[in-house]
Amino acid sequence: MAKRSGTLLVPTQIWWLLATGVAVIAPLAPHVQPWLTVAATLALVWRAALAWQRKPLPSRWLLLVLVVAGTAAVLWQFRTLLGQNPGVALLILFLALKHLESRTTRDGLAIVFLAFFLALAQFFYSQAIPAAIASAAGVLVATATLLALADPRAAPPAVLRRGGIMLLQALPLMLLLFVLFPRVQGPLWALPRDAASARTGLSDTMAPGSISQLSQSDAIAFRVRFADAVPAQKLLYWRGPVLPEFDGRAWRPMNEPPFPQLPYGEPGSGGLDYETIVEPHGRHWIFALELPGATTAATFATRDYQLVARAPLTVRQRHRLRSYPALQAGRDDGESLRQRALFLPEGSNPRIRALAARWRNAAQSDEDVLRLAESFFLNQRLLYTLAPPLLGEQSADEFLFDTRQGFCEHFANAFAVAMRAAGIPARVVTGYQGGEVNPVDGWLTVRQYDAHAWTEVWLAGRGWLRVDPTAISAPTRIDMNLAAAVPVGDPLPLMMRVDLAWLRDIRFRWDAVANAWNQWVLGYNPDRQRDLLRRLGMPQPDWQRMTAALAVLCGLALLALTAWTLRQRQRRDPALALWQKLSRRLGRRGLARRPAEGPLAYAQRVAAALPQAATDMHAIATLYARLRYGAGAPALLHELRHRMASFHP
Amino acid sequence: MDSVVTAAGRVILGKDRQVRLALACLLARGHLLIEDLPGVGKTTLAHVLAQLLGLHFQRIQFTSDMLPADILGVSIYDRDSGAFNFHPGPVFSQLVLADEINRATPKTQSALLEAMEERQVTAEGQTRPLPSPFFVIATQNPAHQIGTFPLPESQLDRFLMKIELGYPDRAAERELLAGADRREVLAGMAPCISPAELQAHQESVRRVHVSDALIDYVQALVAHTRESADWQAGLSPRAALALLASARAWAWLDGRDHVLPEDIQAVLPGVAGHRLRPAGEGPAADSIGRLIESVPIP
């Protein structure tokens, strides 16, 4: 037998190892510094070239220099060697450099184990389905490489197949561990990192142009599943940041901390129950249907009826909410709040001020002013477009009288300014409007291009009333969607194009799969685990019980496996069992049967080594051969047993 | 049959194993291909077997200008009877020695190989059966010699076994050099068995028992040749059948009524050697040895 560390790698094994390196490093390339990828690629290509030309590996001194240089580069890049990113960087470098000093199968094993670790490191950066697939592929190649290290002559497809079968065999155990292993609340290392970084989404200020840029993004903002039927499209106003503070150009939110309760009580009836899964966007906002009924254990509410989560959305969050579309609130709002909703900076938008003054003179009440304003907006023939012209200082004036083209924020801005000029408290509300039901799984998907801005006006005796000026000029935006409302030729996001129906179909299916993945794999947190285990009949699933259940189930699985193996063994030929026993007995004297040794050849070898036992051995071997390969003489089995019992070499 | 082996051993010195393989091939109703350098005793082996088994023997020396009719026979017009009379070719005998078969053109080679497969000859619209038993020993020089037409794999498959004789060892060669002329020894030999007895033996070889465990082993061997990267292609089902048939004959020659894994291992190089083409460099014999070592006996 060759020494453990002494078996030299053959070319096939070197190619397998290189494939492993590529399979685990390539998926990390988009997440790490480019120079790391380049360095790793150079090392692997170098190794491949050496293997190709059958040249010797570089000297250990050169490798030492490279390792020191690589470590120094990582240190220079991250200012530390500890932590997640420097750790991954070092692993990548060492894995690549290890190839350059791999001579024996033992070195190969080191590479494979590093590779298993790096395949896991995928999930530091992304836990979506593609990352899982890439990681699984890396594990598959690494497993196949392990097999190739053990048997260098096996053909690559066979090795890959066997590796796959081995991983499939491990699948039940993996599922068991996934379901039962006690979960830790919250991610261990705040994973994944990229969740909190800049993403497309609403901002907390609104100026002309800030929402129309979202109209090009078909990224998902949140998903909703209603307990009952999905309400009509024009009722789907998802309330985001409310912006009462105006400085002449931009609208901002009130700078006040949220409350644990909504400022109004929950009505008795007319509620809509739904579940929403909000994609991470780094802020606290969650988007409830207007108006939310009550806060939950995980949410607060602002004074202007926006729900906010207690923890910022750095990871996907799930909320169960109830909303009342018919609810109006704020009838008793105090003077100070109304005054703030009337403020206009000095000298801003003089033409609207003049217009508003004329409305006020002509009208008897606030309701009349509102009606006049609405009919003015309608008669002005404003054009709803994704590509409005740029506006100057007096943005509301210019929009309403000069350019007369705008996106929802232009409409909301102009309307709120006009209302304030006419002495009616008004504020801008941003959020999303509409959404699209995925026919595959029935979830309503709201995307960034559904972002919208509308206004709320305060009327005495009625409270805050939603007025959507966009709906006045472009009702199809509210009744249908963005694509139906904008002029033909405006650039639309991919998901909205009617001519790409097949693409939308694929996207629907992919979304449904991704949603299921998010809920059942990534969203399998301690709460869900407890829920599931309770439903499976475990009364108080704490971690001790879970560990016990895990141990019991693993034990049961092992028992089943053992029972199966034992049965296989019982089904084996009794003559063969005796023969193998003989081989084990003789094995203690260094005379075990080689796997490919036939009975007579073995007997001959044993007889040569133990001349005194030659006769017995030949007799036993002949008996065994007749029993196992002969035409059936079961009586011989007894004789074989007898011979075996009296055989004492 | 042991007497045949012993008697043949007096002429073919130190090649007992090859003689047994040739006999096994004959008993399994297969044809034999002997590949080796000129002068190591290929032709003598064929002569000895014919003599000892009392078979009608014909030798065909293949050359590059040979035509199929030179082997199968030809019809000649007989003026007296006014009809064509078929004159059977040398293939119409019980043991045919096709000497240096790879010197003939493929056309001529295939005429013989077809006759071997069908055990009959069709000429001028008439099918004539070949005598029974019918056994072909073909010899060929290693293909890389000048002026040869190597047999393609499909034709090689017609031969149950391919064996190599190799140089005699030192003692055997000394005896050869010092002893009497082999031709005289050969001429003085009497047949050990009759053709009828040979056919009876062939029949009993067919009845040698093959157990399930042994079939498992054959399947494992064949499966390994198909999965391994050592060869360009694995063994065919026909090759597996050939392996079993040869192993039966080998077991019978050993005086057993059942086949052991050892029998398979003994005939495997002869049966598989010309059917497996190694994928890398290195002689085929090495790869067969590795094949035997790497497939455990179930």
Side-chain angles (χ1 to χ4, degrees), chain A residues 550-567:
Chain A
L550 192 61
V552 167
L553 282 178
C554 285
L556 282 179
L558 276 179
L559 265 181
L561 195 69
T562 318
W564 185 74
T565 323
L566 279 178
R567 242 192 88 196

Side-chain angles (χ1 to χ4, degrees), chain A residues 136-147:
Chain A
V139 169
L140 174 61
V141 177
T143 312
T145 308
L146 267 184
L147 288 169

